[in-house]
Amino acid sequence: MNELCRVLIVDDEILVRQGIKYVLDWEREGFQIVGEASNGQEALGALHTLKPHILITDIVMPVMDGEELTRIVKRDYPAMEVIVLSSFSEFDYVRSTFQNGVADYILKPRLAAGALLQVLQKTRDRIPALQAKPAFKEQRQSPESLLSRLISGYELQAEDAGFLAQQFPHGQFCFLGCGYAGTLPHGEQPAEPPFRTAIAEALSRRLPGMVQLLIPAAGQNRLLLINLEAAQWGEAVLALQELARTYAGNEPGLRFSLSRAFGGISGAAAVYQDSYLKLQQYRFYFPGEVLLVHDELPPLAAEPPKFNLGQFTEQLKRLQLEEAFAELRRHVAELRSYYDNDVFQYKSFLGNIIFNVTNQFGHIKALEDEKYDLFRSIDEAPHAEAAAGLLDAFLDRVMEESFLAAPAAGSHANMKKLLEYIEEHYAEPLSLTELARHFHFNPSYLSSLFTAHNQEGFKEHLNTVRTDRAAELLRAGEAPISEISSMVGYGDHSYFCKVFKKYTGLSPSGYRRQFYGQE
């Protein structure tokens, strides 16, 4: 039997993964996509199970980037080939991956079917295990591959649609998802969810004649399409509830999601989008539910009103912290109860609050030093309660630090004016000499005064203000990165990138991609 060349796609953007999956007719070209991952850590967890011949990986990703992934793969799986995806701005990173044995690279702006196929074929020719195989012959796509295309919104040819429909003898369908919640200690990866063994067998015993089809899904998640008689639906839910209770004790991290039922394979795409993927989002607000059933969700609370950020900011300026933080915590609790709230929006709200608070208390260096680590922790929070807990701890820290940093009697009255002037004119070519001239100070005296009252020098403070403003513009996602440097006062774009990475640990493009889902 001819062997397909197995491919694993690794990219933090689902649209990029979808584009790669459907730019080629993979199986007819002799390749098979065996899975997806949204970062390097997910990919490493899937390698032993999926055993791909080729990895197609992005460079800039959260948790573990493509550079580190490539290094580990070539160390632990030397026969596995790696193809890197990059943009023009990331080419310096691509060069470093070639030192670790990357086979080739593809520029995202030029990701066309012909170019991708050419790189894949050239890379496949490097794999000794595939060289002894006879030339691959064109064949019909598998039911799994056809269903994967269907639920992603691609229209099937009439012949393929008819072939897929023939695989299912019963009139009712549903999707069952299974995966692990959170991460294990010390970076360990969980085992593959036992779909092919205990779960599948248990369902088959309880539901005779039921048809199950395993669909490739991202990361550690596994997705089944279940086809059964309408009269078996109640029994199916009971069987899954019993399985969930069993696994809650034996494997406490395992989670199940059951979509609403639907009739006819043609409805698979709509139910996948409107029911199954919604359940995956809702799970962020129901971390303790082992089995989440679409038809048994609690009534949805009213959508919370918009948070009054203006009033909150005014309370911060007046140091009315207890009142401000009490109202903020009440609002976050409402957001957690509204489980239809987009996860990205929930995390973005928490990040924006932290950004505004640290901006207001910029003179407290401890808060400034920790805010970007806090952004990352919130972005990686596995559920709403964990993210809210991070915010709570931050607010407690602000209360403590603001009390300790209260200005002593006789502190320099002009310091506030200096800081306000920098806040208003940061986009101009400011220097210590110009600031001293404006306020009629000796530059040396001003430098000492600034450091004494701010725990950092003038230049460091100006870079902090500019970096914060640049981060805000990157978060807004409207201005091109090439223009942001001049908007915040840097005439040299490369110097801006260097300063931004020094203060945040990320390049501007990496910051935008990691925290706000944009290139």
Side-chain angles (χ1 to χ4, degrees):
M1 180 178 180
N2 299 325
E3 182 177 5
L4 295 169
C5 179
R6 299 185 297 276
V7 179
L8 175 66
I9 303 171
V10 190
D11 197 293
D12 60 320
E13 296 185 64
I14 188 171
L15 292 179
V16 173
R17 299 199 304 268
Q18 294 288 343
I20 295 173
K21 285 170 63 177
Y22 301 114
V23 73
L24 290 175
D25 196 341
W26 289 81
E27 295 190 5
R28 289 179 179 172
E29 298 293 350
F31 297 89
Q32 178 188 13
I33 295 178
V34 293
E36 308 170 38
S38 61
N39 58 65
Q41 184 173 311
E42 276 191 7
L44 288 178
L47 292 184
H48 180 71
T49 300
L50 300 179
K51 296 181 173 59
H53 296 106
I54 297 174
L55 253 66
I56 300 178
T57 180
D58 191 15
I59 283 289
V60 180
M61 297 180 291
V63 185
M64 180 187 290
D65 62 20
E67 189 175 9
E68 184 178 358
L69 171 62
T70 299
R71 179 179 56 78
I72 296 173
V73 166
K74 297 308 290 185
R75 181 195 68 194
D76 298 342
Y77 302 89
M80 198 174 294
E81 297 291 348
V82 180
I83 298 172
V84 166
L85 291 171
S86 75
S87 62
F88 290 103
S89 62
E90 298 161 355
F91 195 69
D92 286 342
Y93 295 100
V94 176
R95 288 195 185 96
S96 67
T97 63
F98 274 96
Q99 299 173 3
N100 294 317
V102 162
D104 213 330
Y105 73 95
I106 304 172
L107 291 173
K108 285 186 181 181
R110 297 179 179 175
L111 185 58
L116 176 60
L117 180 59
Q118 184 177 14
V119 170
L120 284 165
Q121 290 172 335
K122 185 172 67 172
T123 304
R124 180 176 58 187
D125 292 342
R126 294 164 51 110
I127 302 173
L130 299 177
Q131 299 310 303
K133 306 295 181 181
F136 183 82
K137 297 179 181 179
E138 182 177 311
Q139 59 182 343
R140 181 190 295 278
Q141 293 188 68
S142 66
E144 293 84 355
S145 177
L146 290 173
L147 184 58
S148 182
R149 291 179 64 89
L150 179 64
I151 65 176
S152 297
Y154 289 81
E155 186 174 348
L156 301 182
Q157 297 180 3
E159 180 184 356
D160 289 335
F163 169 72
L164 184 60
Q166 292 173 7
Q167 312 305 309
F168 306 107
H170 309 302
Q172 187 155 307
F173 298 81
C174 64
F175 287 108
L176 173 64
C178 181
Y180 286 91
T183 56
L184 296 177
H186 310 299
E188 298 176 14
Q189 292 295 326
E192 180 183 9
F195 256 8
R196 294 185 181 275
T197 54
I199 295 176
E201 292 172 2
L203 289 175
S204 295
R205 286 195 299 270
R206 289 287 296 268
L207 304 165
M210 178 191 68
V211 175
Q212 306 175 48
L213 188 66
L214 183 64
I215 309 167
Q220 292 292 334
N221 290 325
R222 293 295 176 265
L223 178 63
L224 276 179
L225 176 69
I226 295 177
N227 178 226
L228 70 170
E229 297 289 351
Q232 294 178 303
W233 175 249
E235 181 66 18
V237 175
L238 289 175
L240 286 170
Q241 289 172 339
E242 290 181 11
L243 279 172
R245 286 193 292 269
T246 299
Y247 280 101
N250 298 334
E251 296 189 55
L254 201 60
R255 296 290 183 268
F256 300 88
S257 303
L258 183 64
S259 78
R260 63 178 174 83
F262 60 101
I265 192 64
S266 60
V271 174
Y272 177 76
Q273 295 291 331
D274 299 336
S275 180
Y276 175 74
L277 291 185
K278 280 285 189 181
L279 286 175
Q280 301 311 103
Q281 174 180 302
Y282 295 163
R283 183 159 291 289
F284 181 74
Y285 299 97
F286 296 101
E289 294 292 332
V290 179
L291 172 63
L292 207 57
V293 181
H294 188 278
D295 294 336
E296 298 179 2
L297 290 170
L300 187 63
E303 182 174 2
K306 187 176 181 181
F307 184 68
N308 192 335
L309 186 58
Q311 175 181 301
F312 179 76
T313 303
E314 285 300 315
Q315 289 175 319
L316 293 183
K317 290 179 179 179
R318 296 170 186 159
L319 295 181
Q320 298 172 337
L321 301 188
E322 290 188 8
E323 299 92 331
F325 292 170
E327 177 61 22
L328 173 62
R329 286 184 166 110
R330 185 194 64 77
H331 182 77
V332 172
E334 288 185 346
L335 290 178
R336 286 167 53 194
S337 67
Y338 184 66
Y339 61 82
D340 199 38
N341 189 33
D342 182 78
V343 174
F344 174 79
Q345 291 180 358
Y346 176 85
K347 291 183 175 181
S348 293
F349 173 77
L350 302 187
N352 284 331
I353 288 295
I354 291 169
F355 181 86
N356 278 278
V357 173
T358 53
N359 186 49
Q360 185 63 37
F361 292 94
H363 58 287
I364 302 179
K365 192 172 186 299
L367 299 179
E368 281 289 327
D369 290 344
E370 297 170 7
K371 69 178 180 181
Y372 288 105
D373 286 337
L374 190 53
F375 287 156
R376 291 190 187 92
S377 296
I378 287 177
D379 187 60
E380 296 168 7
H383 51 78
E385 185 176 351
L390 292 168
L391 178 66
D392 278 337
F394 168 76
L395 297 180
D396 291 341
R397 181 77 183 276
V398 172
M399 293 285 288
E400 178 184 353
E401 293 288 344
S402 62
F403 175 78
L404 295 175
S411 62
H412 203 286
N414 282 327
M415 199 65 240
K416 183 179 179 181
K417 293 182 180 179
L418 290 170
L419 296 176
E420 289 176 347
Y421 186 87
I422 293 172
E423 290 284 341
E424 294 172 2
H425 299 272
Y426 67 89
E428 301 171 10
L430 282 181
S431 69
L432 186 65
T433 302
E434 290 168 350
L435 192 65
R437 185 184 303 117
H438 180 84
F439 285 93
H440 308 292
F441 288 144
N442 179 282
S444 297
Y445 170 74
L446 180 59
S447 177
S448 301
L449 179 69
F450 204 96
T451 302
H453 283 276
N454 292 278
Q455 300 180 354
E456 62 181 355
F458 164 80
K459 184 177 180 181
E460 288 75 19
H461 181 75
L462 179 59
N463 282 335
T464 297
V465 172
R466 287 173 168 173
T467 301
D468 285 345
R469 297 301 180 273
E472 187 175 6
L473 291 169
L474 289 167
R475 291 160 71 87
E478 298 174 358
I481 294 176
S482 59
E483 296 178 10
I484 289 178
S485 57
S486 60
M487 294 169 67
V488 298
Y490 292 104
D492 186 337
H493 178 70
S494 61
Y495 179 68
F496 159 67
C497 293
K498 181 178 179 180
V499 171
F500 190 92
K501 186 170 184 178
K502 175 184 176 182
Y503 278 73
T504 68
L506 297 167
S507 67
S509 61
Y511 178 89
R512 173 171 280 177
R513 285 165 58 84
Q514 180 162 331
F515 293 99
Y516 305 98
Q518 298 175 334
E519 285 190 274

